[in-house]
Amino acid sequence: MARLLLVLLLVLTYIPMTHAATDDPALKFDTKANTIFGDFDMMKKRRVVRVLIPYSKTFYFIDNSGTQRGIMVELMHQFDKQINKGLKPSQKTHLLFIPTARDQLIPQLVAGHGDVIAANLTITPEREDLVDFSTPLAKNIREVVIASGNAPKLETVDSLSGKSLFVNPSTSYISSIATLNKNLAEKSLPPAIVVKAPGNFEPEDILEMVNANLADYTVVDRYLALLWKQIYPNLVVYENITLRDNGSIALAMRKDSPLLRAQLDKFTTAHKIGTSFGNQQVYKYLRNTKWVKDARSQEELDKFYQVTEIFRKYGEQYNVDWLLMAAQGYQESRLDQTVRSKSGAIGVMQVLPTTGKELKVGDIRQVDPNINAGVKYIRFMSDRYFADQPMTEMNKLLFTFASYNAGPAKIARLRKEAQTKGLDPNIWFNNVERIAQQRIGNETVQYVSNIFKYYIAYQLIMEQMKARKHETPLTGQKTQ
């Protein structure tokens, strides 16, 4: 504990907020009713400042009591105190948090659907053409390379030549990698390879995967790397390999808003990261994280190879993505047929004997019938509860996994509640999962999240296997 606090104090002298992004669609709300422009005087007249904020387990979320939490929420609550100091309740201006996908933050702001972006945005020339920024919350932000404990060691930035970097394609890390590749090309070295993470992956999700050896390398802000290193011990932080060292993080507003800018500048100047407030909040929200297990160790990969053809066979038979089913199998049992639960569930897919008999697949004590039963049952649940729902095939399976874990009736209630709150009832990530987190806790959210992360890891594994087929066994050179 003392070590963590010491690192926090050292790092947070110039700690920025992360600037990851997602390409998920914006949350649905009545944009026509909320299309309002104007400076801070108009906001005071309306007594509302609309804060566009991305959903994140660190920066903005809703806890089990229905309370909005997160580092950015706490930060903006301090802004609330500033603008309402000395005012009577009837005179106060209220903050309205509007959860918004990161790639929609600036479009929604410019369109008049919000007034302030509290999303730890990095100031870039492209963004400055569209919006204005406050005085930075942090300057001289360094982006460093992070590796898993199993990844080949890096010596210099040139060591990234030919390596795969797992990053969200909507972040500024992409432009940093582009600059890196330009420099590598000038030295006649192969470029680093960008492996695109799903749009809903925050930096914490990617670091979690790197820690679990589900990905080899990524790029994040130095502060984030050092903070999560205290929680994910398998991370290797290359502080000497920096892709950017001059970033600035700030709040954003529409152009030509001098009154609002004056308020935000006053606030950010007084609350720059590195204050006792900032230190306390970061420590508060980086605690008690659950880890994804190592699905790419050689022992685990051997088990994966053994069952690959079985999952492929039944995936094709029941028209289900077999890699996704393998990911569920890993979540259930680590692909171990010998596993027995206290409830009597058996094998890779943790099937109850009674369920096995009902499905008529044979002896589920054997791995083939066991996987058959698991895939067949997921297909049955998907068809029964989600076949006619206007969802993507991926979301149908994600909701099926959630129903498998929490019960279909409960998930149906959560979908209805999500719709009443302006969320999309047909999208799991960043929508119905938020209500699930609030109403039934973390178990189901983590269950679905883990399966999806294993799925991404298995996709990477299959891509690597495919690449190796085009290399000669002895030289490693690609065949013609």
Side-chain angles (χ1 to χ4, degrees), residues 233-246:
N234 193 45
L235 295 179
V236 178
V237 181
Y238 286 99
E239 293 193 60
N240 63 314
I241 301 180
T242 302
L243 299 193
R244 183 196 295 260
D245 58 13
N246 61 349

Side-chain angles (χ1 to χ4, degrees), residues 172-193:
S172 62
Y173 304 139
I174 291 294
S175 62
S176 299
I177 296 172
T179 300
L180 164 68
N181 284 338
K182 181 179 179 180
N183 294 334
L184 291 174
E186 291 174 354
K187 299 176 183 178
S188 299
L189 293 172
I193 302 166

